[in-house]
Amino acid sequence: MNSLKSPSDLEKLRKDILAKKDPKRLAIAACVSTGCQALGVQKVLEAFDEEIKKQGLEGKVEIKETGCLGFCEKGPRIVIYPEEVYYFQVKASDVPEIVSKTLINNEIVERLLYTDPVTGKRARYLSEVPFYKYQNRLLLESNSKIDPKNIEDYLAIGGYAALAKSLFQMTPEDVMKEVKDSNLRGRGGGGFPTYRKWESSRNAQGEPKYVIVNCDEGDPGAFMNRALMEGNPHSILEGLIIGAYAIGSHEGFIYVRQEYPLAIENMETAIKQAEELGLLGEDILGSGFDFKVKIHKGAGAFVSGESSALMTAIEGKVGEPRPKYVHTSEKGVWDKPSTLNNVETWANIPLIINKGANWFASIGTASSKGTKIFALAGKVNNTGLVEVPFGISLRDIIYKIGGGIRNGKKFKGVQTGGPSGGVIPKQHLDSPVDFDELTKLGSMMGSGGMIVMDEDTCMVELARYFVNFLCDESCGKCTPCREGLKQANIILNRIVSGKGTEEDIKKLEKIAEVTSVASLCALGQTSANPLLTTLRYFSDEYEAHIKEKRCPALACKELVSYYIDPEKCQACMICHRNCPADAIIGEKMKVHVVDQSKCIKCGTCYDVCPPRFGAVQKLSGEPVPPPIPEEERLIKRARKEKRS
Amino acid sequence: MYDDQIDKIIDKYGTEKGILIQVLLDIQHEFKWIPKEAIKRISERLKIPYSQIFRVASFYTALSLKPIGRHLVRVCVGTACYVRGAPRILDSVENKLGIKSGETTSDGKFSLETVNCLGCCALGPVIEIDGKYFGKLNSTKIEKMLSSCN
């Protein structure tokens, strides 16, 4: 393809691409993002290749490998065009039938459609699937339409039109105004107004100015950015170039964590293709505006997601934060003005330019505009990526979209904001989700991780998990964070092992206060959130651990014992065979007993005991009943046989 | 002995600024660890003190200063996997391999690491073996996966 020299060149190319596309052509779109690959989509694709040849459709079916389609729980998911048939949990063995029925005869393979777990009704259209029905997928929807490795697909859905509009119909000031009026706030966690960051860089002294995409996504439990970068890298790139134009920057960085190899690969391809077409590089579309961009791989450090730390990492140094008396937007990378925004923030820019600030500002709440992508995970039925307008309630996300809690268990709390966020309990489920409401509840928006917890999750253990995580990830530069987290970690470890004292709670509160006030960067300042929210909403669990040496969720290893109910045990030997510590005494026809002195509390016996017996139990805060006398152990099944 | 390969990696970046971490990542990718000799060579070529390179290499989790086994097993202990039983998965891998996280088996076959998030949160618990991801795990599946590694 030749380099494009003007907006009309771009439009002509777009027309040519669209003209080439036959809307009636058979196509299969399969998600090949990291999640579906883990579920074996590659085998499904190989089966399609083979079967298409075998059934004589070679050359007649286009196979499109797309980014994440959101509903990871039911992956691999495929779409068949032009009829838009959506199949879920497709296996390689389903492929011959899909080819012969759907591709050749235009029939639906009913069993592969989405089945509502409550009504049993099958959903022919995506709009009938509750997981999608309540979403507003402004950013994610494109993932199902494009092959991220092919710029033509992005152009076909109107890609780079916003860039052309910005460069030729708008001044940088116009772009700034549009972003300001849209009220877009940063999607990386803090929710800082994007416009203010941009303006500060724009007005700052110093050349060159840098623009940066933050795809460090270090929050465990969050994969929104990965999905966007894997599935639609051009939308991020387009947003970045528009931002650079508005700010007056000619150089950018895309910072991606090395744990996301596919995101890196797709972004590299996107950059190359955009350069070839003259959408990136010198004299973009003949406008005279130059912009180049480089990918910087992050080497794995949670703290490097913090803006000043990330910029130090770009300089090739240890990614530690620095005090922000001077904002990074004025002095960032190599002390030059640097604007850093999250992947999702950048991806919103082309939408705002195309559809206008008023349209964007009409979605959401008074203080938070547009949509937000959440990674819904944990103990919820429908896990995956969810894009919703701000203002939706947590309850709607978890119950309407997420389909409620797995295995009929009870909801206990939802964790938002990653390790810097907090746990929100059930009495606040009806709170609307926006930047300020979540902060009021003691948590925060964060980048969008949303982890649902049920009655089996121990909140003290969860607090310990986060504090331990942050303790590991603290860079150690400032004392309150380094030492505060370490001490909190020691205390929490004491509590979960049943050795806590009542004084410990006060100590934890004190540590939390000091760490949050005196730490250098956001990692330390927000590190108290998981601790404080669990103390605030689940104080009874802390008390049970401390006073009764009991874990109400039956999760803390040292406070739990495994016990085989002699009334229920059928002496089937399964737990005996699977126990890695040989701690189960038993033989055929003889009720099994856990040897408490040998038990390592791995829980294998609990997992493998057939549910119809349910003989293995967890006990906490009470002594394990002594084993029944030897002579009574034998009779169990004999008794049963006699009865039958 | 590593000089040629390292020079090649450095030359790829030309005269760009701030390439140290990228170079180290490439070396990690190529050799599976960062040998001392590599640090020395980078120090000579990029004119960065040995101590500074060592600091960077020891700061980031993706960079390893020890050689690792033929197969790298990474157990995700991110929050989503965690609430879905990652600690048990880790216990079970540790039991089966007879090593703790951060160690390598004495025959050099397996290295075990934990990782904070692989971004497949909807499929937790997840582990990665030699770059391939496996989701919705339980201990029986792990047994199979580990025994299929040669």
Side-chain angles (χ1 to χ4, degrees), chain A residues 522-536:
Chain A
L523 188 148
Q525 288 155 10
T526 56
S527 66
N529 285 344
L531 199 52
L532 291 175
T533 49
T534 48
L535 279 168
R536 177 166 152 195

Side-chain angles (χ1 to χ4, degrees), chain A residues 35 73 220 226 258 294 296-297 299-300 315 317 319-320 378-379 383 406 461 464-465 469 473 557 602 607, chain B residues 16-18 21-22 55 60-62 77-79 82-84 88 91 116-117 119 121-123 133 136:
Chain A
E73 184 69 39
R226 174 177 70 69
Q258 60 87 37
K294 264 193 296 215
H296 182 102
K297 283 179 276 184
E315 295 172 9
K317 298 182 201 142
E320 281 177 353
K379 304 285 188 70
T383 53
R406 280 171 177 254
E461 166 56 25
R464 189 207 60 81
Y465 166 80
F469 173 87
E473 293 295 335
K557 225 177 179 180
C602 68
D607 286 346
Chain B
E16 282 175 46
K17 278 200 285 186
I21 296 171
Q22 308 307 301
R55 177 149 190 262
Y60 290 104
T61 49
V77 293
T79 324
Y82 194 81
V83 303
R84 282 209 196 170
R88 299 261 306 279
D91 274 355
N116 285 331
C117 187
C121 313
L123 310 175
Y133 294 58
K136 297 187 180 176

Side-chain angles (χ1 to χ4, degrees), chain A residues 8-182:
Chain A
S8 52
D9 279 1
L10 174 67
E11 286 318 308
K12 188 176 170 299
L13 174 64
R14 200 190 313 280
K15 262 188 209 143
D16 292 347
I17 292 167
L18 287 171
K20 267 197 300 186
K21 290 203 185 253
D22 172 8
K24 290 200 182 118
R25 185 177 160 89
L26 279 173
I28 299 162
C31 163
V32 293
S33 72
T34 316
C36 278
Q37 288 199 6
L39 292 174
V41 70
Q42 220 54 47
K43 282 196 182 132
V44 174
L45 286 170
E46 283 162 22
F48 266 116
D49 259 346
E50 193 181 313
E51 209 54 42
I52 283 171
K53 273 181 212 150
K54 220 160 135 191
Q55 303 199 27
L57 287 180
E58 207 172 350
K60 290 183 188 149
V61 186
E62 182 189 359
I63 295 184
K64 215 184 257 293
E65 299 190 355
T66 74
C68 181
L69 306 173
F71 204 173
C72 311
E73 184 69 39
K74 299 277 178 209
R77 191 194 100 170
I78 65 162
V79 193
I80 295 170
Y81 294 102
E83 296 292 327
E84 294 203 27
V85 184
Y86 297 86
Y87 289 146
F88 294 85
Q89 290 181 307
V90 177
K91 292 186 293 293
S93 55
D94 297 322
V95 169
E97 195 180 348
I98 297 176
V99 174
S100 64
K101 281 200 173 154
T102 313
L103 290 184
I104 296 180
N105 289 324
N106 208 4
E107 288 167 27
I108 307 277
V109 183
E110 290 279 334
R111 71 185 151 81
L112 295 174
L113 294 175
Y114 176 80
T115 312
D116 191 294
V118 183
T119 61
K121 220 185 127 206
R122 298 194 201 275
R124 166 64 184 85
Y125 299 98
L126 209 55
S127 56
E128 296 166 359
V129 180
F131 180 80
Y132 290 105
K133 194 166 147 187
Y134 300 100
Q135 295 192 42
N136 187 3
R137 298 164 70 85
L138 299 178
L139 297 171
L140 284 175
E141 189 47 40
S142 309
N143 273 16
S144 64
K145 297 188 183 129
I146 59 175
D147 171 352
K149 291 195 166 66
N150 186 350
I151 193 170
E152 289 198 3
D153 279 9
Y154 185 64
L155 293 172
I157 59 161
Y160 289 102
L163 176 65
K165 183 176 171 186
S166 304
L167 293 177
F168 291 91
Q169 296 168 34
M170 297 167 88
T171 61
E173 292 75 20
D174 293 339
V175 177
M176 291 298 287
K177 186 170 181 310
E178 211 61 26
V179 174
K180 184 182 184 184
D181 293 347
S182 75

Side-chain angles (χ1 to χ4, degrees), chain A residues 196-205 209-210 247 328-330 337-340:
Chain A
R196 279 178 46 200
K197 243 187 202 179
W198 287 21
E199 193 189 34
S200 163
S201 262
R202 196 176 132 81
N203 295 337
Q205 298 293 318
K209 289 177 180 171
Y210 297 106
I247 293 161
T328 48
S329 50
E330 291 161 26
S338 305
T339 306
L340 174 133

Side-chain angles (χ1 to χ4, degrees), chain A residues 111-398:
Chain A
R111 71 185 151 81
L112 295 174
L113 294 175
Y114 176 80
T115 312
D116 191 294
V118 183
T119 61
K121 220 185 127 206
R122 298 194 201 275
R124 166 64 184 85
Y125 299 98
L126 209 55
S127 56
E128 296 166 359
V129 180
F131 180 80
Y132 290 105
K133 194 166 147 187
Y134 300 100
Q135 295 192 42
N136 187 3
R137 298 164 70 85
L138 299 178
L139 297 171
L140 284 175
E141 189 47 40
S142 309
N143 273 16
S144 64
K145 297 188 183 129
I146 59 175
D147 171 352
K149 291 195 166 66
N150 186 350
I151 193 170
E152 289 198 3
D153 279 9
Y154 185 64
L155 293 172
I157 59 161
Y160 289 102
L163 176 65
K165 183 176 171 186
S166 304
L167 293 177
F168 291 91
Q169 296 168 34
M170 297 167 88
T171 61
E173 292 75 20
D174 293 339
V175 177
M176 291 298 287
K177 186 170 181 310
E178 211 61 26
V179 174
K180 184 182 184 184
D181 293 347
S182 75
N183 244 322
L184 176 66
R185 293 172 69 171
R187 301 305 198 231
F192 194 75
T194 305
Y195 163 78
R196 279 178 46 200
K197 243 187 202 179
W198 287 21
E199 193 189 34
S200 163
S201 262
R202 196 176 132 81
N203 295 337
Q205 298 293 318
E207 287 289 335
K209 289 177 180 171
Y210 297 106
V211 284
I212 303 161
V213 178
N214 184 353
C215 187
D216 193 42
E217 200 161 53
D219 279 9
F223 57 104
M224 304 74 52
N225 295 346
R226 174 177 70 69
L228 274 178
M229 196 169 279
E230 281 180 4
N232 195 355
H234 285 288
S235 66
I236 302 159
L237 202 53
E238 186 180 2
L240 184 71
I241 309 170
I242 295 171
Y245 170 70
I247 293 161
S249 157
H250 301 286
E251 220 176 314
F253 293 100
I254 297 174
Y255 186 100
V256 197
R257 63 202 301 246
Q258 60 87 37
E259 287 93 334
Y260 289 174
L262 186 61
I264 295 172
E265 187 188 321
N266 287 0
M267 187 47 100
E268 275 169 352
T269 312
I271 290 175
K272 224 172 121 209
Q273 291 178 343
E275 279 171 349
E276 280 167 11
L277 279 184
L279 295 162
L280 191 62
E282 281 174 18
D283 193 19
I284 294 173
L285 285 175
S287 65
F289 177 68
D290 305 334
F291 181 70
K292 60 177 180 184
V293 65
K294 264 193 296 215
I295 292 179
H296 182 102
K297 283 179 276 184
F302 178 68
V303 71
S304 293
E306 195 273 344
S307 61
S308 68
L310 188 146
M311 292 183 195
T312 340
I314 286 180
E315 295 172 9
K317 298 182 201 142
V318 163
E320 281 177 353
R322 60 165 179 75
K324 289 202 220 166
Y325 314 118
V326 180
H327 291 293
T328 48
S329 50
E330 291 161 26
K331 282 190 171 187
V333 181
W334 289 295
D335 277 342
K336 302 295 177 196
S338 305
T339 306
L340 174 133
N341 283 126
N342 176 264
V343 166
E344 197 180 331
T345 316
W346 288 118
N348 268 299
I349 300 294
L351 285 180
I352 293 170
I353 299 297
N354 273 330
K355 299 192 178 180
N358 289 338
W359 164 83
F360 189 80
S362 70
I363 306 161
T365 64
S367 68
S368 310
K369 303 296 186 189
T371 60
K372 176 80 195 81
I373 307 178
F374 291 99
L376 190 60
K379 304 285 188 70
V380 65
N381 276 314
N382 302 333
T383 53
L385 279 188
V386 170
E387 183 177 353
V388 287
F390 281 110
I392 189 172
S393 70
L394 286 165
R395 187 185 300 279
D396 282 353
I397 297 181
I398 295 167

